[in-house]
Amino acid sequence: MAAETPPGLHILLHQQVKEHTPTLISSHADRDRVIEVFRHALLKTGPPESFALQAVQEAIKPQKQTVLVQDENQSLENALRTLLQELVSSAVRSGERMMQYGQSVDEDESIRGQIPQFLDIVLHLCERGHIEGGMIFQLLEDLTEMSTMKDCKEIFGYIESKQDILGKQELFGRGKLVMLRTCNQLLRRLSKANDVVFCGRILMFLAHFFPLSERSAVNIKGVFNTTIETKYEKDAPDGISVDFNFYKTFWSLQDHFNNPIPTTLPPPQWKKFGSNLTVVLDTFEAQPLSDDDGNTNHLHQEEEDAAFNTKYLTSSNLMGLELKDPSFRRHILLQCLILFDFLKTPGKNDKDGSSESMKEEIKSFEERVKKLLEVIPPKGKEFLQSIEHILEREKNWVWWKRDGCPAFEKQPIERKIGQEGVKKRKARWRLGNKELSQLWKWADQNPNALTDPRRVRMPSVTEYWKPLGEDMDVSAGIEAEYNHKNNRVYCWKGLRFSARQDLEGFSRFTDHGIEGVVPPELLPPEVRSKFHTKAGDRSKRTKKEEVKGVATHPEDNQVASATVENDGIGSGAELEDGVAPMDSDALAGEVQKQSPDTDSIHEAGQSEADGVDNDTKTDTKMEVDASDINSKEANPTSRNRDSND
């Protein structure tokens, strides 16, 4: 579209040109001339891009370089606002609709209304930057103020259609406050009972037009709308069928819901509210609703035909019927939950919040209200879950306002490119990154840092097991629950240290558990003998037990003792050959375990063993063994002395 504009002329804003003195548009004659130029532009067909800039050039005297300063913009704005007033006056005199004035449909072409055409021209000039961006918002505000509510609906339809263009950053920053003022004025003029749809359109437009973090759309101070007042009867009428005291108590709750800070937070007012609410909840609990009541009062009409009242009637004659209405009860109980949620929210100061006793009462009231909502038909549980979800999300909104309404939008991170579009080369580090390279540099400058004893190091086995050794000392008096052996991580690490540094101690874990792994030098003598007994001491103790068992049965174990002696001689010979001396101990243990009832079996086994030994030994050795046995049998005293030895 820029190619169609005449070359050599482009109007700039707020820039002074020293070589040229701007042409002022201040006289009434110049204003009338500007109005006449734009009147001719309204009669043209086609898109505004083809003739909008040409109209501005004619209005400001064609020159090679024309600049609009603040005074010139103000004069142009006055001329355009005057033209809009004349168009509105002409539409009113003709009796036509505001947005349809001047519209005609011919066989060849159709001409739009003059006011929409005029707004399109100004919007195009504002979008291109030829005139001030806030001028279109000012014209829309003037148009809504001069129109009836019937015409305002069509004007607002035009605003909705141009929402994307009006929301651009270059226009939004200059006209957002004017647009907010325009919408608020429309809302004040509308009826909240009869123009609900139009009010919703305006609110939806504001929600889309302004960003989510816009502070002007947030009630920062938490001011309550006290203009909505619930009026009810103060004196009992004649022939009332319900308890009038309950009627007054019930509707007095609306005063607390309307403005809870002065009517609820002070202790006397809270006590009054608590007593009134208790009466209402007791009545609801005493008169539960059945499923038939829920089906009778439920609206089965289509969604478009269903009508919902935004405010209930307060006549005392209707009190009995309203108490049987499930939606009426839900309405009152939901107000209670909203009030409780507000009172539980902490304020910016400690004085703004509720006291501890008040919080406990709020919790008990809240539980009762939720139980009542759950049993109200139809679908009481589903309704309560939805309300709890909504109130939970409302807390996020409250905390966001308390934090100052921070912006949700985040600007994208721009990648900085070096001069001439060449990216800077990344620095190469010696060890891959900056941190490791800096650490290595510090080590070069301070070589003692690696040998500092305060550095973390692996302890020795003796140092690590010292706490457990102190726990095993009975004289220390350490309770079992505080023993280090109950710490699984400590024991697991100690076993890993012992497996690497003390393999002998690690092998004792199988027999004695974790306490056997502790080095013996850390244990007291009485505990050390239990877990660290030498192999020679064990063999001597076994031999003494064996001899004691043989002396108890001298007659039954004669052959067995001879066999033991033979094995003793044989074991000595085997020790000389380098065989371990544990065979004699094992054999002595086997002899000690035998019972008198199995002596014959042992004698047979020993004879077989002697037969095997006789095959491997010389006849001379057999004669010496036999003579030794005979001499011991003939001399019992000698046999007893040998046993003692």
Side-chain angles (χ1 to χ4, degrees), residues 514-543:
I514 195 64
E515 294 179 340
V517 187
V518 181
E521 58 269 16
L522 300 177
L523 302 176
E526 61 274 9
V527 181
R528 188 186 312 162
S529 60
K530 180 180 178 181
F531 296 102
H532 298 275
T533 305
K534 294 182 180 180
D537 297 339
R538 289 198 302 268
S539 63
K540 289 180 179 180
R541 185 168 59 253
T542 305
K543 286 182 179 181

mmCIF file of all heavy atoms in Angstrom, residues 514-543:
data_model
loop_
_atom_site.group_PDB
_atom_site.id
_atom_site.type_symbol
_atom_site.label_atom_id
_atom_site.label_comp_id
_atom_site.label_asym_id
_atom_site.label_seq_id
_atom_site.Cartn_x
_atom_site.Cartn_y
_atom_site.Cartn_z
ATOM 1 N N ILE A 514 29.634 -57.451 62.835
ATOM 2 C CA ILE A 514 30.334 -56.191 62.639
ATOM 3 C C ILE A 514 31.295 -55.894 63.781
ATOM 4 O O ILE A 514 32.310 -55.213 63.603
ATOM 5 C CB ILE A 514 29.301 -55.040 62.476
ATOM 6 C CG1 ILE A 514 29.975 -53.792 61.909
ATOM 7 C CG2 ILE A 514 28.614 -54.742 63.794
ATOM 8 C CD1 ILE A 514 30.533 -53.947 60.534
ATOM 9 N N GLU A 515 31.030 -56.419 64.986
ATOM 10 C CA GLU A 515 31.916 -56.171 66.117
ATOM 11 C C GLU A 515 33.236 -56.924 65.979
ATOM 12 O O GLU A 515 34.250 -56.523 66.551
ATOM 13 C CB GLU A 515 31.218 -56.566 67.417
ATOM 14 C CG GLU A 515 30.016 -55.687 67.743
ATOM 15 C CD GLU A 515 29.330 -56.126 69.020
ATOM 16 O OE1 GLU A 515 29.548 -57.292 69.409
ATOM 17 O OE2 GLU A 515 28.583 -55.327 69.625
ATOM 18 N N GLY A 516 33.233 -58.020 65.223
ATOM 19 C CA GLY A 516 34.475 -58.764 65.023
ATOM 20 C C GLY A 516 35.448 -58.078 64.087
ATOM 21 O O GLY A 516 36.627 -58.425 64.052
ATOM 22 N N VAL A 517 34.985 -57.098 63.313
ATOM 23 C CA VAL A 517 35.849 -56.398 62.368
ATOM 24 C C VAL A 517 36.702 -55.338 63.071
ATOM 25 O O VAL A 517 37.735 -54.914 62.552
ATOM 26 C CB VAL A 517 34.982 -55.754 61.259
ATOM 27 C CG1 VAL A 517 35.860 -55.165 60.161
ATOM 28 C CG2 VAL A 517 34.050 -56.780 60.648
ATOM 29 N N VAL A 518 36.310 -54.944 64.268
ATOM 30 C CA VAL A 518 37.036 -53.901 64.983
ATOM 31 C C VAL A 518 38.441 -54.388 65.325
ATOM 32 O O VAL A 518 38.611 -55.511 65.831
ATOM 33 C CB VAL A 518 36.272 -53.502 66.264
ATOM 34 C CG1 VAL A 518 37.013 -52.400 67.003
ATOM 35 C CG2 VAL A 518 34.859 -53.053 65.919
ATOM 36 N N PRO A 519 39.484 -53.619 65.057
ATOM 37 C CA PRO A 519 40.855 -54.054 65.390
ATOM 38 C C PRO A 519 41.000 -54.326 66.882
ATOM 39 O O PRO A 519 40.387 -53.664 67.727
ATOM 40 C CB PRO A 519 41.712 -52.863 64.944
ATOM 41 C CG PRO A 519 40.897 -52.178 63.903
ATOM 42 C CD PRO A 519 39.481 -52.344 64.326
ATOM 43 N N PRO A 520 41.819 -55.313 67.254
ATOM 44 C CA PRO A 520 41.918 -55.708 68.669
ATOM 45 C C PRO A 520 42.525 -54.620 69.550
ATOM 46 O O PRO A 520 42.224 -54.557 70.734
ATOM 47 C CB PRO A 520 42.796 -56.964 68.623
ATOM 48 C CG PRO A 520 43.544 -56.878 67.333
ATOM 49 C CD PRO A 520 42.635 -56.191 66.380
ATOM 50 N N GLU A 521 43.375 -53.761 69.021
ATOM 51 C CA GLU A 521 43.995 -52.741 69.853
ATOM 52 C C GLU A 521 43.004 -51.686 70.335
ATOM 53 O O GLU A 521 43.303 -50.913 71.245
ATOM 54 C CB GLU A 521 45.135 -52.054 69.106
ATOM 55 C CG GLU A 521 44.729 -51.407 67.792
ATOM 56 C CD GLU A 521 44.874 -52.338 66.612
ATOM 57 O OE1 GLU A 521 44.989 -53.567 66.853
ATOM 58 O OE2 GLU A 521 44.885 -51.853 65.461
ATOM 59 N N LEU A 522 41.801 -51.650 69.737
ATOM 60 C CA LEU A 522 40.785 -50.702 70.163
ATOM 61 C C LEU A 522 39.858 -51.257 71.237
ATOM 62 O O LEU A 522 39.024 -50.515 71.765
ATOM 63 C CB LEU A 522 39.933 -50.256 68.966
ATOM 64 C CG LEU A 522 40.649 -49.557 67.815
ATOM 65 C CD1 LEU A 522 39.682 -49.250 66.688
ATOM 66 C CD2 LEU A 522 41.309 -48.265 68.309
ATOM 67 N N LEU A 523 39.972 -52.541 71.549
ATOM 68 C CA LEU A 523 39.046 -53.195 72.461
ATOM 69 C C LEU A 523 39.683 -53.383 73.826
ATOM 70 O O LEU A 523 40.900 -53.585 73.941
ATOM 71 C CB LEU A 523 38.608 -54.555 71.903
ATOM 72 C CG LEU A 523 37.938 -54.543 70.526
ATOM 73 C CD1 LEU A 523 37.647 -55.965 70.070
ATOM 74 C CD2 LEU A 523 36.650 -53.728 70.566
ATOM 75 N N PRO A 524 38.898 -53.374 74.906
ATOM 76 C CA PRO A 524 39.425 -53.709 76.240
ATOM 77 C C PRO A 524 39.753 -55.199 76.322
ATOM 78 O O PRO A 524 39.281 -55.996 75.499
ATOM 79 C CB PRO A 524 38.278 -53.316 77.176
ATOM 80 C CG PRO A 524 37.061 -53.313 76.322
ATOM 81 C CD PRO A 524 37.505 -52.930 74.959
ATOM 82 N N PRO A 525 40.558 -55.625 77.307
ATOM 83 C CA PRO A 525 41.011 -57.035 77.361
ATOM 84 C C PRO A 525 39.865 -58.019 77.432
ATOM 85 O O PRO A 525 39.882 -59.057 76.764
ATOM 86 C CB PRO A 525 41.891 -57.070 78.613
ATOM 87 C CG PRO A 525 42.332 -55.659 78.804
ATOM 88 C CD PRO A 525 41.229 -54.805 78.336
ATOM 89 N N GLU A 526 38.834 -57.753 78.244
ATOM 90 C CA GLU A 526 37.751 -58.730 78.388
ATOM 91 C C GLU A 526 36.949 -58.887 77.107
ATOM 92 O O GLU A 526 36.435 -59.975 76.813
ATOM 93 C CB GLU A 526 36.822 -58.326 79.538
ATOM 94 C CG GLU A 526 36.138 -56.976 79.378
ATOM 95 C CD GLU A 526 36.992 -55.835 79.884
ATOM 96 O OE1 GLU A 526 38.190 -56.089 80.203
ATOM 97 O OE2 GLU A 526 36.493 -54.691 79.966
ATOM 98 N N VAL A 527 36.846 -57.857 76.326
ATOM 99 C CA VAL A 527 36.128 -57.965 75.055
ATOM 100 C C VAL A 527 37.033 -58.517 73.967
ATOM 101 O O VAL A 527 36.594 -59.255 73.084
ATOM 102 C CB VAL A 527 35.568 -56.581 74.649
ATOM 103 C CG1 VAL A 527 34.796 -56.662 73.340
ATOM 104 C CG2 VAL A 527 34.671 -56.025 75.744
ATOM 105 N N ARG A 528 38.312 -58.197 74.034
ATOM 106 C CA ARG A 528 39.251 -58.669 73.016
ATOM 107 C C ARG A 528 39.358 -60.186 73.026
ATOM 108 O O ARG A 528 39.448 -60.823 71.974
ATOM 109 C CB ARG A 528 40.608 -58.037 73.264
ATOM 110 C CG ARG A 528 41.631 -58.303 72.169
ATOM 111 C CD ARG A 528 42.990 -57.766 72.589
ATOM 112 N NE ARG A 528 42.877 -56.410 73.085
ATOM 113 C CZ ARG A 528 43.806 -55.830 73.830
ATOM 114 N NH1 ARG A 528 44.897 -56.505 74.182
ATOM 115 N NH2 ARG A 528 43.643 -54.591 74.259
ATOM 116 N N SER A 529 39.339 -60.827 74.217
ATOM 117 C CA SER A 529 39.450 -62.283 74.290
ATOM 118 C C SER A 529 38.243 -62.978 73.678
ATOM 119 O O SER A 529 38.336 -64.133 73.263
ATOM 120 C CB SER A 529 39.599 -62.712 75.754
ATOM 121 O OG SER A 529 38.467 -62.284 76.506
ATOM 122 N N LYS A 530 37.134 -62.308 73.626
ATOM 123 C CA LYS A 530 35.931 -62.908 73.070
ATOM 124 C C LYS A 530 35.964 -62.963 71.555
ATOM 125 O O LYS A 530 35.518 -63.954 70.954
ATOM 126 C CB LYS A 530 34.713 -62.114 73.540
ATOM 127 C CG LYS A 530 33.384 -62.644 73.011
ATOM 128 C CD LYS A 530 32.246 -61.788 73.531
ATOM 129 C CE LYS A 530 30.923 -62.279 72.968
ATOM 130 N NZ LYS A 530 29.788 -61.448 73.433
ATOM 131 N N PHE A 531 36.496 -61.935 70.939
ATOM 132 C CA PHE A 531 36.461 -61.854 69.475
ATOM 133 C C PHE A 531 37.792 -62.158 68.814
ATOM 134 O O PHE A 531 37.836 -62.386 67.608
ATOM 135 C CB PHE A 531 36.019 -60.437 69.044
ATOM 136 C CG PHE A 531 34.626 -60.082 69.461
ATOM 137 C CD1 PHE A 531 34.410 -59.266 70.549
ATOM 138 C CD2 PHE A 531 33.533 -60.583 68.771
ATOM 139 C CE1 PHE A 531 33.133 -58.930 70.945
ATOM 140 C CE2 PHE A 531 32.250 -60.247 69.157
ATOM 141 C CZ PHE A 531 32.047 -59.429 70.256
ATOM 142 N N HIS A 532 38.916 -62.166 69.570
ATOM 143 C CA HIS A 532 40.241 -62.325 68.963
ATOM 144 C C HIS A 532 41.015 -63.403 69.720
ATOM 145 O O HIS A 532 42.069 -63.144 70.316
ATOM 146 C CB HIS A 532 41.004 -60.999 68.992
ATOM 147 C CG HIS A 532 40.335 -59.911 68.209
ATOM 148 N ND1 HIS A 532 40.499 -59.749 66.856
ATOM 149 C CD2 HIS A 532 39.470 -58.942 68.603
ATOM 150 C CE1 HIS A 532 39.784 -58.721 66.448
ATOM 151 N NE2 HIS A 532 39.143 -58.210 67.497
ATOM 152 N N THR A 533 40.567 -64.687 69.766
ATOM 153 C CA THR A 533 41.256 -65.825 70.377
ATOM 154 C C THR A 533 42.196 -66.450 69.366
ATOM 155 O O THR A 533 41.825 -66.684 68.213
ATOM 156 C CB THR A 533 40.231 -66.865 70.864
ATOM 157 O OG1 THR A 533 39.312 -66.201 71.742
ATOM 158 C CG2 THR A 533 40.919 -67.983 71.609
ATOM 159 N N LYS A 534 43.479 -66.789 69.818
ATOM 160 C CA LYS A 534 44.470 -67.348 68.907
ATOM 161 C C LYS A 534 44.158 -68.809 68.612
ATOM 162 O O LYS A 534 43.526 -69.504 69.404
ATOM 163 C CB LYS A 534 45.872 -67.244 69.502
ATOM 164 C CG LYS A 534 46.331 -65.800 69.656
ATOM 165 C CD LYS A 534 47.746 -65.752 70.206
ATOM 166 C CE LYS A 534 48.228 -64.306 70.360
ATOM 167 N NZ LYS A 534 49.594 -64.237 70.897
ATOM 168 N N ALA A 535 44.661 -69.314 67.505
ATOM 169 C CA ALA A 535 44.409 -70.703 67.099
ATOM 170 C C ALA A 535 45.050 -71.685 68.056
ATOM 171 O O ALA A 535 44.500 -72.732 68.380
ATOM 172 C CB ALA A 535 44.916 -70.948 65.673
ATOM 173 N N GLY A 536 46.265 -71.417 68.592
ATOM 174 C CA GLY A 536 46.946 -72.316 69.535
ATOM 175 C C GLY A 536 46.181 -72.459 70.837
ATOM 176 O O GLY A 536 46.073 -73.544 71.410
ATOM 177 N N ASP A 537 45.596 -71.350 71.313
ATOM 178 C CA ASP A 537 44.798 -71.424 72.537
ATOM 179 C C ASP A 537 43.566 -72.278 72.346
ATOM 180 O O ASP A 537 43.173 -73.047 73.232
ATOM 181 C CB ASP A 537 44.387 -70.018 72.970
ATOM 182 C CG ASP A 537 45.597 -69.163 73.327
ATOM 183 O OD1 ASP A 537 46.648 -69.772 73.608
ATOM 184 O OD2 ASP A 537 45.474 -67.924 73.302
ATOM 185 N N ARG A 538 42.980 -72.200 71.194
ATOM 186 C CA ARG A 538 41.804 -73.028 70.941
ATOM 187 C C ARG A 538 42.172 -74.495 70.895
ATOM 188 O O ARG A 538 41.449 -75.356 71.391
ATOM 189 C CB ARG A 538 41.145 -72.594 69.620
ATOM 190 C CG ARG A 538 40.447 -71.241 69.691
ATOM 191 C CD ARG A 538 39.468 -71.081 68.529
ATOM 192 N NE ARG A 538 40.131 -71.224 67.238
ATOM 193 C CZ ARG A 538 40.631 -70.185 66.569
ATOM 194 N NH1 ARG A 538 40.565 -68.974 67.083
ATOM 195 N NH2 ARG A 538 41.207 -70.376 65.406
ATOM 196 N N SER A 539 43.336 -74.859 70.322
ATOM 197 C CA SER A 539 43.734 -76.276 70.231
ATOM 198 C C SER A 539 44.056 -76.839 71.602
ATOM 199 O O SER A 539 43.696 -77.975 71.930
ATOM 200 C CB SER A 539 44.929 -76.422 69.282
ATOM 201 O OG SER A 539 46.044 -75.707 69.803
ATOM 202 N N LYS A 540 44.702 -76.042 72.460
ATOM 203 C CA LYS A 540 45.001 -76.516 73.814
ATOM 204 C C LYS A 540 43.731 -76.751 74.613
ATOM 205 O O LYS A 540 43.605 -77.740 75.329
ATOM 206 C CB LYS A 540 45.885 -75.502 74.537
ATOM 207 C CG LYS A 540 47.306 -75.442 73.994
ATOM 208 C CD LYS A 540 48.123 -74.425 74.766
ATOM 209 C CE LYS A 540 49.552 -74.373 74.234
ATOM 210 N NZ LYS A 540 50.356 -73.383 74.974
ATOM 211 N N ARG A 541 42.768 -75.816 74.482
ATOM 212 C CA ARG A 541 41.519 -75.969 75.201
ATOM 213 C C ARG A 541 40.784 -77.209 74.721
ATOM 214 O O ARG A 541 40.171 -77.938 75.508
ATOM 215 C CB ARG A 541 40.663 -74.723 75.010
ATOM 216 C CG ARG A 541 39.378 -74.768 75.851
ATOM 217 C CD ARG A 541 38.684 -73.398 75.887
ATOM 218 N NE ARG A 541 38.332 -72.933 74.565
ATOM 219 C CZ ARG A 541 38.957 -71.947 73.942
ATOM 220 N NH1 ARG A 541 39.975 -71.326 74.514
ATOM 221 N NH2 ARG A 541 38.576 -71.570 72.726
ATOM 222 N N THR A 542 40.901 -77.543 73.445
ATOM 223 C CA THR A 542 40.225 -78.721 72.908
ATOM 224 C C THR A 542 40.871 -79.997 73.423
ATOM 225 O O THR A 542 40.191 -80.982 73.743
ATOM 226 C CB THR A 542 40.268 -78.682 71.377
ATOM 227 O OG1 THR A 542 39.711 -77.447 70.934
ATOM 228 C CG2 THR A 542 39.472 -79.827 70.780
ATOM 229 N N LYS A 543 42.212 -80.000 73.546
ATOM 230 C CA LYS A 543 42.899 -81.186 74.052
ATOM 231 C C LYS A 543 42.550 -81.457 75.506
ATOM 232 O O LYS A 543 42.347 -82.595 75.915
ATOM 233 C CB LYS A 543 44.412 -81.010 73.896
ATOM 234 C CG LYS A 543 44.890 -81.139 72.463
ATOM 235 C CD LYS A 543 46.402 -81.012 72.384
ATOM 236 C CE LYS A 543 46.877 -81.164 70.949
ATOM 237 N NZ LYS A 543 48.343 -81.059 70.842
#
